[in-house]
């Protein structure tokens, strides 16, 4: 069986027409695209098609031009629901823009908790790190989709990184 | 007819030339200045401009706007609401709610149309659709 390494690398969700500069994806779900499930993006996401499920994005999310999202959305930067966009679901965002004409229903949580580091240093050190986990492979989709819950997020599957001894990057660099 | 009640202690809701209960374009307008405060329940046939400090329950047939720098701990029912200051409380808007870039709103929202400008802060539940009309008398 061929190793999962290269195959996993190919799983980076960069369909044709979408851009990625390595760490930072820029994904567009077009008008005829449809996603049912959970999507985690390290980068930005623009939804012009249909999403049924959860979105977690490290950058910004834009829903417009007939885009419809049904499900929770977490965006560490900005969420824009354009005048021709529809979002039915709870959102956790740092910044929120809703244009006149947009459809939106759900619970909104804004504030510092969104930017909180997902893994507290003490928690990672205290937790038993599962070093046997295939750290080299791309994380299973289910793992990054865990909601950012700050303190209670003890993630044993998260390999302890060397940088983990540093204090977590201070939030507020955007504020 | 409008009913204004429970306007407490330090309340002074009609200071300055431009403040107070004025008619503009045939519509009555209740304007609070930055040093005014109101605590209690206000049922008003017209539009209301909130500056300074407000606390209680506002039922307004027209529009209600909360100025930048104003602090309001109120439940709101109005046709259109524009928030540029700070509001804590539930907001029922028959037509449109606008949150300006410096707005801070904490509370549940029922609204037909919603506009949130970049920079605004919102914590609460948003429901879009027609709001149920409660008895407007009390």
């Amino acid at each position: 069986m061929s190793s999962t390494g290269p195959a996993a690398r190919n799983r980076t969700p960069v369909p044709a027409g979408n851009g990625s500069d390595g760490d930072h994806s820029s994904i567009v779900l077009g008008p005829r695209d449809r996603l049912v499930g959970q999507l985690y993006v390290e980068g930005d996401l623009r939804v012009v098609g249909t999403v049924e499920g959860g979105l977690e994005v490290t950058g910004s999310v834009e829903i417009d031009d007939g885009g419809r999202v049904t499900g929770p959305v977490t965006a560490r930067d900005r969420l824009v629901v354009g005048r021709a966009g529809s979002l039915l679901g709870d959102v956790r965002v740092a910044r929120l823009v809703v244009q006149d004409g947009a459809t939106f229903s759900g619970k909104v949580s804004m504030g510092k908790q969104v930017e909180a580091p997902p893994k507290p240093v003490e928690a990672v050190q205290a937790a038993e790190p599962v070093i046997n986990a295939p750290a080299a492979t791309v994380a299973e989709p289910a793992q990054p989709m865990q909601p950012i819950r700050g303190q209670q997020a003890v993630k044993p599957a998260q390999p302890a990184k060397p940088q983990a001894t540093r204090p977590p990057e201070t939030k507020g660099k955007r504020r | 007819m409008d009913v204004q009640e429970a306007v407490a202690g330090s309340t002074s809701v009609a200071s300055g030339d431009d403040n107070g209960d004025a008619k503009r374009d045939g519509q009555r307008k209740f304007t609070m200045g930055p040093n005014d405060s109101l605590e209690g329940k206000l049922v008003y046939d017209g539009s209301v401009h909130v500056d300074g400090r407000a606390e209680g329950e506002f039922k307004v047939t027209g529009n209600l706007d909360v100025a930048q720098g104003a602090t309001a701990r109120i439940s709101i029912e109005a046709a259109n609401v524009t928030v540029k200051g700070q509001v804590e409380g539930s907001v029922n808007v028959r037509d449109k709610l606008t949150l300006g870039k410096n707005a801070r709103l904490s509370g549940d929202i029922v609204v037909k149309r919603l506009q949130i400008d970049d920079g605004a802060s919102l914590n609460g539940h948003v429901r879009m659709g027609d709001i149920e009309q409660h008895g407007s008398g009390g």
Side-chain angles (χ1 to χ4, degrees):
Chain A
M1 192 162 70
S2 62
S3 77
T4 56
R9 256 177 251 130
N10 289 339
R11 286 166 55 193
T12 306
V14 187
N18 291 312
S20 171
D21 60 357
D23 294 345
H24 191 92
S25 301
S26 180
I27 296 178
V28 178
L29 286 169
R32 284 177 294 185
D33 300 337
R34 177 184 169 95
L35 168 70
V36 179
Q38 307 278 309
L39 175 64
Y40 171 83
V41 178
E42 293 202 347
D44 300 326
L45 173 67
R46 177 174 158 82
V47 179
V48 186
T50 302
V51 174
E52 292 173 27
L55 301 175
E56 184 177 340
V57 174
T58 60
S60 297
V61 178
E62 186 180 350
I63 305 165
D64 203 357
D65 294 336
R68 299 174 62 84
V69 174
T70 307
V73 176
T74 298
R76 287 185 211 168
D77 187 11
R78 190 168 76 149
L79 167 63
V80 178
V81 186
R83 63 187 69 247
S86 168
L87 170 57
L88 305 178
D90 296 349
V91 302
R92 293 169 68 85
V93 290
R95 293 155 66 197
L96 174 63
V97 174
V98 177
Q99 293 177 350
D100 189 11
T103 301
F104 171 54
S105 285
K107 184 181 169 208
V108 180
S109 304
M110 292 178 84
K112 291 181 179 174
Q113 68 268 30
V114 177
E115 295 181 83
K119 40 184 185 289
V121 172
E122 294 81 4
V124 170
Q125 288 174 338
E128 295 176 37
V130 182
I131 300 173
N132 293 335
T137 60
V138 172
E140 292 299 318
Q143 282 184 357
M145 285 313 299
Q146 290 182 2
I148 305 166
R149 285 208 191 90
Q151 305 311 318
Q152 74 179 76
V154 177
K155 295 183 178 177
Q158 196 86 34
K161 295 178 181 173
Q163 302 99 311
T165 51
R166 281 192 224 154
E169 285 186 32
T170 50
K171 44 200 165 185
K173 61 185 175 182
R174 290 181 179 278
R175 298 221 164 224
Chain B
M1 294 295 284
D2 63 296
V3 180
Q4 297 161 28
E5 55 180 312
V7 179
S10 63
T11 304
S12 73
V13 186
S15 60
D17 296 333
D18 214 20
N19 292 337
D21 187 347
K23 276 200 175 187
R24 284 180 196 165
D25 303 327
Q27 200 194 18
R28 302 168 68 239
K29 184 154 186 177
F30 182 99
T31 303
M32 291 173 61
N35 298 318
D36 299 340
S37 70
L38 191 156
E39 291 175 24
K41 179 173 175 178
L42 172 68
V43 179
Y44 190 75
D45 184 11
S47 293
V48 172
H49 174 83
V50 177
D51 206 339
R53 190 175 65 83
E55 206 169 316
E57 188 179 337
F58 282 41
K59 288 189 176 183
V60 178
T61 60
N63 302 338
L64 182 143
D65 57 280
V66 178
Q68 186 170 347
T71 307
R73 297 181 65 177
I74 52 178
S75 68
I76 297 171
E77 200 176 304
N80 295 283
V81 173
T82 301
V83 177
K84 294 176 181 169
Q86 192 169 331
V87 173
E88 209 176 297
S90 63
V91 181
N92 287 328
V93 188
R94 291 186 287 277
D95 190 15
K96 185 178 171 185
L97 168 65
T98 304
L99 300 184
K101 62 181 164 70
N102 295 314
R104 299 179 71 82
L105 173 56
S106 194
D108 292 345
I109 296 168
V110 180
V111 70
K112 197 169 175 186
R113 292 159 58 206
L114 176 63
Q115 178 180 329
I116 301 178
D117 294 345
D118 195 7
S121 168
L122 168 64
N123 280 284
H125 196 276
V126 177
R127 187 160 70 83
M128 268 192 162
D130 292 323
I131 68 169
E132 305 141 25
Q133 291 288 337
H134 304 291
S136 61

